[in-house]
Amino acid sequence: MSITESVSVTMAAMTPVKRQARAERTRAALLTAAREVFEERGFLDAKISEICERAGVAYGSFYTHFADKDAVFAELIDAMLAGLLAVMRAEPLNGDGPTARIASANRAYLRAYRKNARLMAVFEQVATFSPAMRETYLRAWGVFYDRQERAIREWQRAGLVPDDVEPRTAAVALATMIGRTAYTWYVLGRPHDDGDVEQLTRLYCRAIGM
């Protein structure tokens, strides 16, 4: 009996609950292995065969769960971005007022970026040549821009930010400042310290007239 036939017989003997649990374990193993391979090899050099080997599953099992390499990468990126937003929303404030909110958001974003720096680097790479991933990249940044634009408009209504600051332009420019700084620190490895993190918040606040 071949390996494929043996697996088929084993699966047929399982209850639906056990089959579902096995499928979930296989999918999770593939996702974990795929992330390792993408982070080590980059997207272009990553091979499905190596992902399957690391996951300890048959090559054909990959296609039971994912259409292709793009699909498993997209799922990893979606999960990473959702986790990043969750971290930012859960970050506690250390003080009151806009400055505390800005500092909190910056701390959370930088911490989450550092944790995911290797996958972020691949995400940046793929967004330069994949239309679908470029759309995901722009949509993700759009969420950050929207959050910051809403905050700046709120602070303008409260008289904390001058009216001559255009909220959308400021949100895009300042989010980009934080994002590219994170890339330089955690992907390219530029040395930095806690004082540099505080400086980012200071620059942000002064740029919008606080």
Side-chain angles (χ1 to χ4, degrees):
M1 181 181 293
S2 69
I3 293 176
T4 300
E5 290 171 335
S6 177
V7 170
S8 297
V9 170
T10 301
M11 290 296 287
M14 290 182 178
T15 65
V17 172
K18 288 184 177 180
R19 283 199 296 271
Q20 178 65 25
R22 181 188 177 109
E24 289 174 359
R25 287 195 301 271
T26 299
R27 185 181 184 85
L30 285 167
L31 285 166
T32 298
R35 177 162 182 157
E36 292 175 358
V37 173
F38 285 132
E39 290 180 346
E40 292 174 17
R41 310 255 186 238
F43 182 84
L44 295 176
D45 293 330
K47 291 181 171 54
I48 291 174
S49 58
E50 183 175 3
I51 293 172
C52 293
E53 182 179 347
R54 292 204 189 188
V57 303
Y59 185 84
S61 295
F62 179 91
Y63 294 99
T64 300
H65 299 279
F66 304 101
D68 50 28
K69 186 169 72 171
D70 296 70
V72 69
F73 185 74
E75 184 157 331
L76 287 169
I77 294 302
D78 286 345
M80 179 185 71
L81 294 173
L84 192 153
L85 279 173
V87 168
M88 293 181 68
R89 288 168 177 155
E91 182 73 8
L93 290 176
N94 184 17
D96 298 318
T99 300
R101 285 176 59 182
I102 293 167
S104 171
N106 288 346
R107 285 195 308 271
Y109 178 82
L110 292 168
R111 187 173 66 254
Y113 194 107
R114 180 177 58 201
K115 179 180 178 181
N116 295 283
R118 296 179 73 187
L119 190 59
M120 281 285 198
V122 185
F123 185 27
E124 296 250 0
Q125 174 200 38
V126 179
T128 64
F129 60 78
S130 165
M133 201 50 56
R134 184 180 305 116
E135 179 62 27
T136 298
Y137 186 89
L138 294 174
R139 186 170 63 250
W141 274 106
V143 172
F144 297 130
Y145 299 157
D146 291 346
R147 283 166 56 91
Q148 295 184 50
E149 180 184 357
R150 286 194 299 270
I152 292 170
R153 290 187 184 281
E154 175 188 328
W155 297 330
Q156 282 182 324
R157 289 192 293 271
L160 300 173
V161 171
D163 290 338
D164 61 356
V165 173
E166 202 292 305
R168 187 65 176 186
T169 302
V172 171
L174 292 168
T176 302
M177 175 186 75
I178 303 299
R180 299 321 291 173
T181 298
Y183 181 85
T184 302
W185 286 354
Y186 303 125
V187 175
L188 301 184
R190 181 186 180 277
H192 64 283
D193 57 31
D194 290 343
D196 294 324
V197 176
E198 294 175 4
Q199 185 68 212
L200 283 177
T201 297
R202 190 172 300 115
L203 289 168
Y204 191 117
C205 292
R206 290 183 180 177
I208 57 176
M210 283 189 178

